[in-house]
Amino acid sequence: MAQVWISAAGLCGATIIGSVLGFLIKGLSHKWNDTILGYCAGIMLAAATLGLIVPAFEQGEQWWLVVAGVMAGAFFLNVLDLVTPHLHHITGLDAEEHRHNASLNRILLFVMAIALHKLPEGMAAGVSLSDVVTTNWTVSLGIAIQNVPEGMVVIAPLLLAGVKPMRTFVISVAIGLLEVVGVWLGFALGSVSQALLPVMLGFAGGAMLYVTSDEMIPETHAHGYQKQATYALLLGFMSLVLIEKFFE
């Protein structure tokens, strides 16, 4: 149980750290934003594959259950995207864009989109720590790293909409706490039975791959800095590979 609390506290804490940095850093250029996001995308790709999908295949011989889980996880977030805006519609970087588009209702939808993604992210970490598999910190570490810039992204649009700083911080903490719920939910579901675990691991992996492909990578290629973002992605991927190898 201790590892579940550590993971939950780490994921929530990373979001809060990102929120604090969001208050301190007034603006971030597209070049640095895309580079950092590219690095996080590489981390997420490695976490989804090495921390979730590969272990899912190792849990049993019914490979089709893993494939079905991956596709179901992606489809689940695809459905969420039908009712929530894409992350790259509001990034907090262009003041002119915000003057025309940043109505409070739209920003609240944006924040809801981030919040909804937190639950499956937390579940991914929780499933990977299930007591029927060897404790795996790869997924928790990968999500925690990408939670920092994500926490920064939540702060900017709320402040621009006129939400008071303290209320904005409370909202960011509440979003982080959703991930704590997700960690415990994923841990509980992953511990129910050995037969369910490969599907849950695949589902969590598919959800993470969907977010990376549909949200993070397109954002890093939208402002002319795709080369830097691509090398940052490769660096992020290899960073988590080396971290996992170091902790074996």
Side-chain angles (χ1 to χ4, degrees), residues 177-194:
L177 290 175
L178 273 176
E179 208 151 34
V180 175
V181 175
V183 170
W184 280 102
L185 181 60
F187 179 77
L189 291 174
S191 301
V192 169
S193 74
Q194 185 75 23

Side-chain angles (χ1 to χ4, degrees), residues 22 27 37 44 49 90-91 118 143 167 200 208 213 221 237 241:
L37 199 59
M44 292 286 280
T49 53
I90 301 178
T91 62
K118 289 293 182 183
I143 295 174
R167 184 180 294 273
M200 289 301 303
M208 290 179 68
S213 177
H221 285 61
F237 187 94
V241 170

Side-chain angles (χ1 to χ4, degrees), residues 11-23 111 114-115 118 147-148 150-159 163-180:
L11 298 188
C12 183
T15 299
I16 294 173
I17 290 172
S19 300
V20 173
L21 291 176
F23 284 109
V111 173
I114 296 292
K118 289 293 182 183
N147 274 358
V148 176
E150 196 170 72
M152 295 170 61
V153 166
V154 170
I155 293 297
L158 288 173
L159 292 177
V163 180
K164 293 181 179 180
M166 182 54 67
R167 184 180 294 273
T168 299
F169 183 71
V170 170
I171 291 172
S172 68
V173 171
I175 290 174
L177 290 175
L178 273 176
E179 208 151 34
V180 175

Side-chain angles (χ1 to χ4, degrees), residues 114-150:
I114 296 292
L116 289 173
H117 284 95
K118 289 293 182 183
L119 195 61
E121 281 181 2
M123 289 178 64
V127 169
S128 70
L129 295 173
S130 172
D131 59 7
V132 295
V133 292
T134 303
T135 300
N136 188 339
W137 293 104
T138 303
V139 177
S140 295
L141 181 61
I143 295 174
I145 291 173
Q146 69 94 28
N147 274 358
V148 176
E150 196 170 72

